[in-house]
Amino acid sequence: MKVVEAEIKKEEKKVTASLSFPLLGYILKRVMIFIPTLIIISIATFTIMSNAPGDPAETLLNQKAGDGQATDKMATDKAYREIRRQLGLDKPIFYISVSSLGACDTLNYIDKAEHREMLARMSDRYGNWDKISHYYDAGMALDKAILFAPRDSSTTLPLVQLRNSSAIILRSWQDVVIDSSLAEITRLSALPNFNSLKAPLDQFIAARADMKANPTKWKTLVPTIHWNGFGNQYHKWLFGDAPWFGEPGMEQTGGFIRGEFGKSYFNKRPVKSMIWERIGWTLLISFFAILITYLVSIPLGIFSALRKDTPTDQFLTTFLYILYSLPSFWIGTMLIFFLCGGDYLNFFPPTFMGDVTWDDGFFAKIGDLAYHMILPVFVATYGSFAYMSRQMRGGMLSILRTDYIRTAKAKGLPQNKVVWKHALRNSLLPVITIFASILPALVSGSIILEFIFTIPGMGSMGFAAVVQKDYPTVLTVTMFSAILTLTGYLVSDILYAVVDPRISYSKK
Amino acid sequence: MSKKEKIVKSDQSFWAYVKRQFRKKRTAVISMYIATFIGLVALLAPFLANEKPLVCKYEGKVYFPVFREFAVGLGIADFPHEFSNKKWSELHYDFVVFPPVPYSPLNQDPKNVHSVGPFAEQDVPSRQFKHWFGTDELGRDVLSGLIHGARIAFTVGIVSMTIASLLGILLGALAGYFGDENLKISRIRFFINVLFFFFAFFFAFQARSYALADAMEASIPSALWQLLISLLIFIGIMGIGNLLVIPFKYIPMFKKEVSVPVDIIISRMIEILNSIPTLFLILSILAIIKKPNIYYIMVIIGLTGWTSIARYIRAELLRIRNLEYIEASHSLGFSGMRILFRHALPNALSSTLIAIAFGIASAILTESSLSFLGFGSGDTVTWGVLLSSARQSPQAWWLAIFPGFAIFITVTVFNLIGDGLTDALDPRLKQ
């Protein structure tokens, strides 16, 4: 695949090259494209993440609103609201929002995710937001009345039932469910002690009847665009809400472009420090992977180019192809299985982190690191031999066909000198420039690699974050890998342009 | 003999040529056979590995339980109650023919739990019930899992590549053929299309978002049905918009043409999708689905995997649009769309086969990596799930080797087919 893709890329390049600008202009143009692309990626990921299921505020609060004392519940609700405000979840998601005339555009002010869902469903069904908000207010009033209803030993059980029913009412939109819960409340509120519930209950029933009697369904079919201003979640995430100059306030953050990536929902640590702890491992392994790929593939490529179409060449190609097709998670599993303790051989450590520290001496630590890195780096590398050596072989072959090589041969230079002195230099150029384009594969592969070898890198962090629905971390890792990849493409394209003067970037 | 050869030689149609070229490459041909074999296994999986007998005579009546299973699945039949609450293998039949592997993939054999190996002593009633490839921790038959895994793998490959090719061919063709300057439409059509796109999106998806979400939670067919309704609304509104354009076209101010930079838009989309590492992109999309299952994975792989096909088609059309016969059809006065879809695209289509073959390989690989990571497969047994179970049973080499080998063979075979197709279809890329 990759071999073919590279060919396509070349072809695409030829076309763009003939249309575009002189070198500097070309670089400038590429950089200019880089920024909007990143912005679009950030918008896309941000939108995806904000629509994800689950309630981050509740995860952070780490407890459910229980049915303890009324004051407890009030305190929990207050803390919950506070967290939502801190995270900025009470704000609209983006600068503009598209909704319908029937829907409410400030729904994010409502605290509970369940209530928001219920209200959204209701307004989708009836389309009369003013009536629905009355209904919700009446429901909340009923809930509050139940919360403050007189407590004594005889009313404990009915109170629990009442609270459950009112909670169900506030999060349901199906008529059947609401009807049955309402019947329960009506039944229980007839008990003595619960006289205080009469009035709110009647109001609630009236509000519900009013909402159901006056639907304006047509309003849900009228699209509206709403401008939310700068006080939205995306703006806060990207630019932060701290002043650009001067001391930031207590709860203010700098935003993504100022290097503040928010706090993890899972362990409440700043994502920034988590990233810096882990990105090193990923980059270290990628660095060695790229280095070894080059060290192995370039000689292999030259070797098979010089023996083009011989059995050796065909064997090598097939062998590398098989290597390329071996899924890395299979090989990784097998290596751990058969070479790292377990029931078979015990050559290598099964986990990544050794127990040697820097205090045990510099060389001891380096040796230990190398020992632990052999298998991961091997698994990260072996697949790319095929691609790189193929590129090298192709480059070498096309150079060997050129006139100047024929001249060199004709004037009697020995084959060795022709290949190593004249051909090698030029054939290396394209191969060197594509180093950047294998970076994305490495980042993507790092998820699997780090999962298998339990490496504390960015890939495993991203994977864990997805599993734990820790969206700030997911967002940051996605952005980082996108930035890394885009930079890779950018550097590769610019190198390609700088290194190969035959490509004309000027207008014809 | 020589006469036959002559006939073959004289057949100069494009596909005959491609076939001949493809046959020249032995590895590709062998791969084709292997792929067909795996495909057949996938197709016949319920008949090859099933706890139910193919034919049986029980209490004087003859049943075809495997066939009946399909009818039950469709809801038009039911299993007789004497079969319920009993294990199929333990019934006393008058006469019975079991499938070659008498286990279903989720069937737990309580006598062979904790990963019994293929060579270890197994507690089975007869040789027929032997677990040829061993069992996993829960006592599920590995061979049966492999056979049904082939089915999943092929479904993943086919479904995701169908989605990817539809998207990729359409977008790639538009980008490649029209470029940035050649798609000229009248101002009013441009304006109306943008406006109606907004309306169509609103009415088809936003206003129906709860209907769609509820259907997706309910079942796959209802989700597809609701999605179809949404798509019809979308197409309908866009159609109405384009009909509205007609009367305006007589006003000169609206008639003036603008060019739509399709190439820039589509190339940026490709770049954006490519810049997020595939596995991570899919993982983050999966994270927002409440209950991910294998079908979501297929759709997501399809929706993210169209870029390579689009690039293929784009590159191909960049070449084709400069050919003389396209110029000829221009001079005959055909419209741009007609030339693209009737004349240019068919010539580019053959080369998408290459991208599709490679795409199937990578879709299978992606799916098995995802299920290896424990993501999204639900309780389906896939090759990746089997392979990941090896991590929990450190002595069970059969769990590490067989599923991985199945993935490896399938992926390699499709890559080699792609390679063969490249040589056969696109000699320019060969050198």
Side-chain angles (χ1 to χ4, degrees):
Chain A
M1 181 82 220
K2 281 177 177 166
V3 183
V4 182
E5 262 189 3
E7 295 288 342
I8 294 175
K9 227 178 171 183
K10 257 185 221 163
E11 206 144 283
E12 284 173 349
K13 259 174 201 155
K14 265 183 226 155
V15 176
T16 42
S18 62
L19 297 170
S20 59
F21 307 88
L23 188 55
L24 198 68
Y26 172 74
I27 293 175
L28 213 67
K29 192 183 149 202
R30 283 297 273 112
V31 176
M32 291 292 278
I33 290 174
F34 181 83
I35 295 165
T37 311
L38 259 186
I39 290 177
I40 293 176
I41 291 175
S42 76
I43 293 177
T45 20
F46 196 86
T47 324
I48 289 178
M49 289 301 135
S50 355
N51 286 317
D55 186 349
E58 199 166 295
T59 321
L60 265 186
L61 200 60
N62 236 344
Q63 61 191 74
K64 298 246 176 201
D67 36 24
Q69 292 290 321
T71 43
D72 275 2
K73 190 165 179 272
M74 299 292 278
T76 328
D77 282 357
K78 199 175 165 221
Y80 181 85
R81 203 172 305 136
E82 189 59 23
I83 289 177
R84 270 179 62 80
R85 205 180 54 75
Q86 266 178 34
L87 295 177
L89 292 176
D90 55 343
K91 297 196 174 75
I93 288 169
F94 195 59
Y95 298 99
I96 50 170
S97 52
V98 177
S99 64
S100 71
L101 206 56
C104 165
D105 49 1
T106 49
L107 208 55
N108 281 5
Y109 289 123
I110 308 287
D111 282 332
K112 293 263 164 57
E114 303 165 338
H115 296 186
R116 283 198 300 278
E117 164 112 22
M118 181 274 285
L119 289 169
R121 293 263 187 178
M122 285 289 190
S123 49
D124 182 53
R125 189 190 297 163
Y126 298 114
N128 43 358
W129 175 248
D130 45 340
K131 300 279 193 304
I132 294 168
S133 66
H134 281 142
Y135 165 82
Y136 181 63
D137 288 341
M140 288 299 273
L142 180 64
D143 193 51
K144 205 170 171 186
I146 290 174
L147 201 59
F148 286 105
R151 276 174 90 95
D152 59 49
S153 56
S154 69
T155 61
T156 314
L157 189 65
L159 257 182
V160 171
Q161 287 171 341
L162 276 173
R163 266 186 211 169
N164 283 342
S165 302
S166 76
I168 290 174
I169 284 185
L170 282 174
R171 65 162 183 261
S172 328
W173 58 89
Q174 303 93 332
D175 272 334
V176 193
V177 184
I178 300 176
D179 281 338
S180 71
S181 301
L182 204 56
E184 178 89 359
I185 294 181
T186 320
R187 187 175 65 78
L188 289 168
S189 63
L191 294 173
N193 288 347
F194 288 151
N195 279 329
S196 60
L197 297 187
K198 277 268 154 39
L201 184 62
D202 288 342
Q203 271 172 19
F204 177 74
I205 291 174
R208 181 159 181 246
D210 187 29
M211 174 182 78
K212 286 175 79 167
N214 304 306
T216 46
K217 178 75 183 163
W218 60 270
K219 278 190 176 176
T220 61
L221 294 178
V222 182
T224 53
I225 299 180
H226 197 265
W227 168 255
N228 294 319
F230 293 111
N232 60 60
Q233 290 181 35
Y234 177 76
H235 189 84
K236 188 184 170 192
W237 171 76
L238 187 61
F239 298 106
D241 50 6
W244 284 84
F245 305 101
E247 281 293 300
M250 272 294 286
E251 286 154 8
Q252 288 175 325
T253 56
F256 192 84
I257 56 167
R258 281 185 270 173
E260 295 284 341
F261 309 139
K263 268 185 189 170
S264 159
Y265 287 168
F266 186 69
N267 54 17
K268 301 178 189 179
R269 290 182 52 201
V271 178
K272 186 162 91 175
S273 64
M274 285 161 70
I275 289 264
W276 291 136
E277 269 168 30
R278 284 155 167 268
I279 199 169
W281 291 116
T282 305
L283 289 181
L284 190 71
I285 289 184
S286 305
F287 172 75
F288 279 108
I290 293 179
L291 189 73
I292 290 175
T293 306
Y294 273 97
L295 287 181
V296 175
S297 313
I298 289 175
L300 275 183
I302 298 172
F303 181 82
S304 58
L306 293 181
R307 283 165 189 72
K308 182 175 177 265
D309 293 338
T310 60
T312 330
D313 176 34
Q314 279 162 4
F315 170 77
L316 203 66
T317 311
T318 319
F319 176 71
L320 288 176
Y321 205 86
I322 291 174
L323 270 190
Y324 164 68
S325 309
L326 287 170
S328 62
F329 54 92
W330 183 37
I331 295 303
T333 313
M334 296 248 285
L335 287 176
I336 288 210
F337 213 83
F338 292 112
L339 296 184
C340 302
D343 288 12
Y344 303 93
L345 301 171
N346 189 5
F347 291 158
F348 292 102
T351 53
F352 185 69
M353 298 306 278
D355 42 15
V356 182
T357 60
W358 289 108
D359 300 334
D360 298 332
F362 182 74
F363 290 104
K365 177 69 185 170
I366 294 287
D368 185 61
L369 265 182
Y371 177 55
H372 282 89
M373 268 175 59
I374 293 175
L375 285 188
V377 168
F378 171 72
V379 173
T381 342
Y382 74 83
S384 45
F385 291 159
Y387 172 56
M388 284 298 269
S389 64
R390 195 88 189 147
Q391 290 288 312
M392 187 64 216
R393 179 176 177 271
M396 195 69 181
L397 282 177
S398 64
I399 295 289
L400 285 178
R401 270 199 296 270
T402 51
D403 287 342
Y404 83 96
I405 294 293
R406 203 173 302 135
T407 316
K409 276 185 189 161
K411 74 178 185 185
L413 277 182
Q415 170 81 355
N416 267 344
K417 206 165 182 186
V418 173
V419 171
W420 295 106
K421 192 157 178 213
H422 296 271
L424 181 64
R425 284 188 193 173
N426 276 328
S427 60
L428 270 183
L429 296 181
V431 181
I432 286 173
T433 56
I434 57 172
F435 94 90
S437 51
I438 55 178
L439 215 61
L442 282 173
V443 175
S444 203
S446 70
I447 297 178
I448 296 260
L449 193 74
E450 293 172 7
F451 175 76
I452 295 174
F453 291 100
T454 52
I455 302 169
M458 223 170 67
S460 62
M461 180 169 99
F463 175 65
V466 169
V467 173
Q468 295 154 353
K469 301 201 185 291
D470 180 2
Y471 298 121
T473 318
V474 176
L475 200 59
T476 314
V477 176
T478 312
M479 284 303 286
F480 261 71
S481 46
I483 291 173
L484 215 62
T485 316
L486 282 176
T487 319
Y489 286 147
L490 184 71
V491 171
S492 146
D493 278 5
I494 291 176
L495 275 182
Y496 199 83
V498 172
V499 142
D500 196 342
R502 281 168 302 174
I503 294 177
S504 140
Y505 283 92
S506 56
K507 277 182 187 162
K508 271 183 202 164
Chain B
M1 175 71 200
S2 68
K3 202 179 173 190
K4 225 177 185 178
E5 221 173 80
K6 236 179 219 167
I7 292 170
V8 172
K9 280 251 165 73
S10 66
D11 187 359
Q12 285 301 320
S13 84
F14 175 65
W15 286 110
Y17 168 78
V18 168
K19 224 171 173 177
R20 244 184 351 260
Q21 288 295 319
F22 189 77
R23 289 239 174 93
K24 274 187 192 162
K25 200 157 181 176
R26 216 170 29 176
T27 48
V29 176
I30 297 172
S31 305
M32 202 72 191
Y33 286 132
I34 299 177
T36 318
F37 172 73
I38 303 174
L40 279 178
V41 169
L43 199 67
L44 299 175
F47 301 98
L48 294 175
N50 207 322
E51 55 172 331
K52 301 183 182 70
L54 290 170
V55 192
C56 67
K57 194 173 180 189
Y58 182 69
E59 290 176 350
K61 275 192 219 161
V62 179
Y63 296 98
F64 296 90
V66 177
F67 290 95
R68 191 133 191 176
E69 201 180 358
F70 289 106
V72 173
L74 288 172
I76 52 174
D78 235 326
F79 277 116
H81 59 86
E82 53 261 43
F83 290 125
S84 55
N85 296 325
K86 280 181 197 140
K87 295 206 92 177
W88 290 90
S89 57
E90 286 163 4
L91 293 171
H92 295 286
Y93 302 100
D94 304 337
F95 150 78
V96 63
V97 179
F98 272 107
V101 181
Y103 296 99
S104 291
L106 289 171
N107 231 202
Q108 298 178 5
D109 183 352
K111 289 178 189 149
N112 294 297
V113 285
H114 304 310
S115 321
V116 180
F119 303 125
E121 200 164 307
Q122 299 178 346
D123 185 6
V124 286
S126 68
R127 244 174 85 85
Q128 196 193 359
F129 286 91
K130 187 172 160 57
H131 299 280
W132 293 101
F133 280 17
T135 63
D136 71 355
E137 193 58 36
L138 299 171
R140 297 180 295 198
D141 189 69
V142 173
L143 183 53
S144 173
L146 285 183
I147 291 173
H148 284 262
R151 209 187 175 129
I152 303 276
F154 264 67
T155 323
V156 168
I158 291 167
V159 172
S160 60
M161 275 308 113
T162 311
I163 298 174
S165 359
L166 287 178
L167 274 173
I169 289 174
L170 182 69
L171 296 177
L174 288 176
Y177 183 74
F178 289 114
D180 286 334
E181 280 108 30
N182 293 330
L183 183 62
K184 288 205 167 67
I185 55 177
S186 60
R187 268 182 191 172
I188 181 69
R189 191 182 288 275
F190 180 76
F191 175 72
I192 292 247
N193 267 305
V194 170
L195 187 71
F196 271 67
F197 181 83
F198 168 71
F199 281 127
F201 181 81
F202 177 82
F203 288 114
F205 297 105
Q206 185 143 5
R208 290 173 43 76
S209 59
Y210 287 118
L212 284 168
D214 288 343
M216 268 180 204
E217 290 222 339
S219 69
I220 303 276
S222 66
L224 286 178
W225 173 242
Q226 293 292 343
L227 208 61
L228 185 72
I229 296 180
S230 280
L231 281 179
L232 286 180
I233 295 179
F234 191 88
I235 295 168
I237 294 178
M238 292 305 279
I240 293 172
N242 280 295
L243 284 179
L244 278 181
V245 170
I246 297 171
F248 283 104
K249 271 182 125 178
Y250 297 103
I251 306 169
M253 191 184 79
F254 291 136
K255 209 181 162 187
K256 206 173 171 221
E257 289 190 322
V258 287
S259 51
V260 187
V262 251
D263 193 23
I264 285 194
I265 297 171
I266 291 168
S267 300
R268 283 289 83 73
M269 276 163 70
I270 294 175
E271 192 178 290
I272 287 169
L273 273 180
N274 280 349
S275 66
I276 305 177
T278 328
L279 208 54
F280 209 82
L281 179 66
I282 294 175
L283 276 177
S284 8
I285 300 178
L286 270 178
I288 63 164
I289 295 172
K290 274 184 193 151
K291 277 180 269 166
N293 62 33
I294 195 86
Y295 298 99
Y296 284 116
I297 293 189
M298 294 175 198
V299 173
I300 294 172
I301 294 178
L303 290 181
T304 52
W306 57 270
T307 52
S308 64
I309 296 177
R311 281 172 61 185
Y312 240 97
I313 287 274
R314 179 177 172 274
E316 197 66 9
L317 278 170
L318 280 177
R319 180 179 67 87
I320 290 177
R321 74 173 180 193
N322 294 326
L323 295 182
E324 273 167 11
Y325 83 97
I326 297 294
E327 212 169 308
S329 26
H330 268 300
S331 61
L332 283 172
F334 291 148
S335 74
M337 284 291 174
R338 186 189 160 116
I339 298 174
L340 169 57
F341 288 108
R342 293 288 296 277
H343 304 277
L345 193 56
N347 269 339
L349 275 185
S350 60
S351 68
T352 41
L353 279 182
I354 304 169
I356 290 175
F358 286 123
I360 291 178
S362 82
I364 292 176
L365 198 62
T366 310
E367 189 278 321
S368 46
S369 340
L370 281 172
S371 48
F372 175 75
L373 290 169
F375 234 82
S377 48
D379 42 5
T380 333
V381 175
T382 70
W383 290 340
V385 170
L386 281 173
L387 183 56
S388 75
S389 65
R391 288 168 61 84
Q392 277 93 52
S393 321
Q395 80 295 347
W397 55 266
W398 54 94
L399 283 176
I401 289 187
F402 296 132
F405 196 69
I407 300 170
F408 162 60
I409 286 292
T410 316
V411 170
T412 315
V413 154
F414 276 104
N415 276 333
L416 285 173
I417 292 175
D419 224 31
L421 283 173
T422 315
D423 287 359
L425 284 167
D426 213 342
R428 284 174 308 125
L429 293 180
K430 202 165 62 173
Q431 291 182 6

